[in-house]
Amino acid sequence: MKKRLLAIVLCLCLLACAGCSTTKAQMNQYNAVLFVEGVLDETYTGAPSKGYLQLMDLTAEDAGKTYQKNLSAELSQRLAVRFELDETFLKNDLRADYLELLEAVYAKASYTVVQAASLDHGRYCVEVSVTPVTFFQAAYADGYAKLRADFEKAHSLPDEEARQDMTDAQIREAEENFETKWAQEVYDYLYARLDAITTGPAVTKLALVTPDRTGVYTLSPNDFQDIDDLILQY
């Protein structure tokens, strides 16, 4: 019988999809580990184990699509926010470059699902060990402020007075020129640092896998969010 799937809806979700769910009939301590490990693999590598795919009744193609959605969400909801990128003006070629950069950083994600313990009411507590990737955190702290300040000295947007004498098309062109150059500046800055991706000390996080009233299991959205924040730090 095919397993029922249920998308995890995250409050203030940072990723396109945090994973799926499985039914009570398939859940035990071993599969609780397999489940959490597969959700993380699907997010950060796009290549979860065959065991996870079978448990979730997914294909490798399904997992690959989820991975690509996660990369896009990472760009839109975390990277772009942190580095002040306006995606409205992000050209397709440069967007593709950013996604490739994210793939390189994702490839450094390091986590191990250690074990699962049975709790009451059919719940499982799963221990996850994470070695944080601090690439973006370090890039922001080490030189971002200077990068932005230097850029604004060399480039500027028209002020309110100047806008009074400009058409909407001229204003948009000025904004596009500014944001496009800034996006390229940030990309070049981050790309130059790819050979020195930094990590932090390992951290242990406990995650709850729990069934709803119908017996469908999900990974706690809050716990997934905490693990995600640990794995890739900004």
Side-chain angles (χ1 to χ4, degrees):
M1 181 178 71
K2 289 189 175 182
K3 292 76 175 177
R4 287 175 289 171
L5 303 180
L6 178 67
I8 292 178
V9 179
L10 291 177
C11 179
L12 299 179
C13 176
L14 292 182
L15 295 181
C17 176
C20 297
S21 62
T22 188
T23 59
K24 187 174 182 180
Q26 285 82 41
M27 190 53 68
N28 51 44
Q29 283 179 266
Y30 174 81
N31 281 344
V33 169
L34 185 68
F35 175 62
V36 174
E37 183 178 67
V39 169
L40 296 177
D41 288 345
E42 191 173 23
T43 301
Y44 289 100
T45 72
S49 68
K50 289 183 179 179
Y52 173 78
L53 295 177
Q54 291 172 354
L55 179 68
M56 306 309 299
D57 195 25
L58 296 171
T59 67
E61 183 179 3
D62 293 331
K65 289 179 179 178
T66 297
Y67 173 70
Q68 292 301 323
K69 289 179 180 178
N70 289 336
L71 286 175
S72 293
E74 186 80 50
L75 173 57
S76 299
Q77 300 172 28
R78 300 184 80 175
L79 194 157
V81 173
R82 188 55 162 163
F83 293 97
E84 302 178 86
L85 305 178
D86 188 337
E87 278 198 282
T88 305
F89 302 110
L90 193 59
K91 305 295 186 182
N92 288 338
D93 287 349
L94 186 54
R95 179 181 176 82
D97 288 341
Y98 267 107
L99 292 176
E100 286 186 8
L101 184 145
L102 277 170
E103 285 193 71
V105 178
Y106 266 32
K108 298 296 182 180
S110 178
Y111 48 84
T112 302
V113 181
V114 181
Q115 60 184 344
S118 299
L119 303 176
D120 56 358
H121 306 298
R123 301 177 303 163
Y124 294 86
C125 179
V126 183
E127 180 182 350
V128 183
S129 177
V130 173
T131 300
V133 177
T134 56
F135 175 76
F136 292 117
Q137 184 182 70
Y140 188 86
D142 291 349
Y144 177 76
K146 184 177 185 305
L147 182 75
R148 183 70 183 189
D150 289 347
F151 181 82
E152 290 182 347
K153 286 180 182 179
H155 307 86
S156 63
L157 289 167
D159 58 24
E160 288 303 317
E161 183 177 352
R163 286 170 181 259
Q164 298 300 319
D165 298 323
M166 300 172 66
T167 65
D168 289 345
Q170 288 172 327
I171 292 173
R172 183 174 178 82
E173 182 180 0
E175 291 174 343
E176 181 176 1
N177 184 56
F178 180 90
E179 297 296 347
T180 299
K181 288 181 178 178
W182 173 241
Q184 186 66 57
E185 192 87 4
V186 171
Y187 173 78
D188 292 342
Y189 173 70
L190 294 175
Y191 182 81
R193 302 173 63 95
L194 277 180
D195 289 337
I197 293 180
T198 54
T199 59
V203 180
T204 296
K205 168 67 183 173
L206 298 179
L208 186 65
V209 176
T210 184
D212 64 15
R213 292 180 180 179
T214 66
V216 175
Y217 278 82
T218 58
L219 171 60
S220 162
N222 289 335
D223 290 343
F224 178 87
Q225 188 66 75
D226 289 345
I227 294 171
D228 179 55
D229 289 341
L230 286 173
I231 290 175
L232 190 54
Q233 298 187 359
Y234 282 78

